[in-house]
Amino acid sequence: MADASNREILETDVVIVGAGPSGLAAAIRLKQKAPHLSVTVVEKSAEIGGHILSGAVMNPVGMDELLPGWRSMGAPVGPDVTKDTFHFLGPKADFAFPGMLVPPQMHVDNGVIISLGALVRWLGDHAQSLGVDIFPMTAAVDLLTSDTGAIEGIITGDLGVHRDGTPKSTHAAGIGLKAKYTLIGEGARGSLAKQLIARFGLAANHDPQLYGLGIKEVWELPADRHEPGRVDHYLGFPLDDATSGGGFAYHAEDRKLYLGFVTHLSYSDPTISPFDEFQRFKAHPSITRMLEGARRLTYGARALSSGGIQSIPDLAFPGGALIGCAAGFMNVPALKAIHSAIRSGIATADEVAAAIAAGRANDTLTTLDAAVRATGIAAELTPVRNMKPLWSRFGTLFGVLLGGFDLWCQALFSLSPFGTLSHTKADFEKLKPLAAVTPREYERPDGKTTFDRSSSVFLANLSHDEDQPIHLKLADPAVPVRDNLPLYGEPAPLYCPAGVYEIGEEGGAPVFRIHAANCVHCKTCDIKDPAQNITWVPPEGGSGPSYSGM
């Protein structure tokens, strides 16, 4: 933990890290319950929503509970889901599952297609109207701790620091924000959440959290190809049977198509490139036809949690709590988490407001886990708990069939023939040696529906001063070439969807290069590096992508 003795310290009742759906829901709920409380939200992106990336078909129950009548209040909302189809793709074939065969847990009643970035911008405006202080361009880089080890707030990052760590003429030191409770809503694999989970052993009695890498593009379709409200999910091609994941295509408002692909990071072949698998997905005839005459507008990538209820850590720590995707409430078969993130923010705010009203501060919210699970999160995630373990153990074809059988047993009889299956290894532990696989080769992009990393990252609207400390920290700079390269072929250039990592050559010897300015803050390297040698930390506030319409 950082030394805050030489920093300015400001006080607030509650500090929230991350202006995503969980953080803003918590802030709004706190002001609803206790308007007199001071609530401060810090957000590392240049503007609210700038780092938000999601599919997104949203289950509206979370918004209904937070702000009844939210649609009539002017919230940005796209079309209601009118058609929801699950497909299994072969290299050329496309089999659409009859709706009656799809388990009910994979459908969303009253689902709505949204831009989550636009929704959180609106939530941010609403929170500010209630008196919440929101500070964008402000990265939370460390934690304030008491003499007893309880969390007392956060430390924000310095601005104006050279790459070598020396201050620039524009240097401004970060400050400490001291609070009665600190809520961490950074999203999946957040840097402070990672610290807190390790420090307080929050995952000790739970399975390892697992992740997927979601890559998304927004396309503008010709009017005659646009079907507002249409939703398609895809399994099978281009992934092999041993690799789990799939694609999605959502017809949003204004002729927009939200097109994306998720590769679960539990894959074992070190030569897999999730970015190139997405390009292969777009080359399938069903997707190519959909994109005829279309124009690509934006690109982005973000890790998402996929471990399920077995992998949710303890939520409360001394002085605060994990909320939203920092804890991991993803419903894997339905690919839905926004409503649960909002619900977790609401429940946590209720617990915090009650604790402060009772004169408490910086202690452990011992009833929090039960309160969050009682929102409907446990009731939703418990019946789908075995889908990811079955998928991982038995592959896509047999695993999904077993998972579907399990879901139907849960729906019809409220029981599982498998009990509760566990995840035994983290994603980084699952790679095979390079010598044990046949290296994959990917075709060159055509520049029409398939593209390279550089042209894609350009559409993420990155802003990153290269003269700042590299925010991708190597515990041992020798590991990539000395260990990972001979054993795995150094997978970082392949699993990174943004071209951050490169194996180059200097003086006839291989070298590992980091192009930090390309980073889209997806966190995949922090998750998948087999040596766990890479740690992602926030760069200067305002750095990174500036997503629009994501």
Side-chain angles (χ1 to χ4, degrees), residues 395-407:
T396 295
L397 189 58
F398 193 41
V400 169
L401 287 174
L402 287 174
F405 172 70
D406 185 61
L407 293 178

Side-chain angles (χ1 to χ4, degrees), residues 5 44 84 113 137-138 141 174 229 253 258 319 339 457 496 513:
S5 59
K44 63 184 174 64
D84 187 358
I113 300 173
M137 295 187 68
T138 305
V141 299
E253 61 184 351
Y258 298 162
H339 64 293
V457 170
C496 174
R513 298 190 180 118

Side-chain angles (χ1 to χ4, degrees), residues 431-447:
L431 282 183
K432 296 178 180 177
L434 182 62
V437 304
T438 300
R440 297 171 186 239
E441 295 183 2
Y442 293 100
E443 295 184 3
R444 294 177 62 87
D446 61 17

Side-chain angles (χ1 to χ4, degrees), residues 438-509:
T438 300
R440 297 171 186 239
E441 295 183 2
Y442 293 100
E443 295 184 3
R444 294 177 62 87
D446 61 17
K448 297 177 182 178
T449 57
T450 61
F451 302 91
D452 60 16
R453 282 175 171 81
S454 60
S455 63
S456 298
V457 170
F458 176 78
L459 296 179
N461 297 317
L462 290 173
S463 175
H464 188 101
D465 182 357
E466 295 199 47
D467 186 19
Q468 64 171 294
I470 292 176
H471 66 285
L472 303 149
K473 307 296 186 182
L474 300 181
D476 182 348
V479 162
V481 171
R482 185 192 66 209
D483 301 337
N484 286 353
L485 186 60
L487 187 55
Y488 301 107
E490 181 46 76
L494 293 172
Y495 60 60
C496 174
V500 171
Y501 301 102
E502 176 193 7
I503 292 291
E505 184 178 305
E506 291 180 6

Side-chain angles (χ1 to χ4, degrees), residues 81-99:
V81 174
T82 58
K83 183 180 181 182
D84 187 358
T85 307
F86 285 82
H87 305 252
F88 190 90
L89 300 181
K92 301 293 181 183
D94 182 346
F95 172 75
F97 290 95

Side-chain angles (χ1 to χ4, degrees), residues 510-534:
V511 293
F512 187 68
R513 298 190 180 118
I514 300 176
H515 305 289
N518 286 358
C519 182
V520 295
H521 299 199
C522 72
K523 318 292 179 63
T524 302
C525 54
D526 194 296
I527 298 164
K528 192 60 177 174
D529 174 35
Q532 287 296 275
N533 187 53
I534 302 173

Side-chain angles (χ1 to χ4, degrees), residues 251-264:
H251 290 246
E253 61 184 351
D254 299 329
R255 293 170 40 210
K256 300 299 191 298
L257 177 73
Y258 298 162
L259 184 68
F261 198 82
V262 175
T263 304
H264 289 168

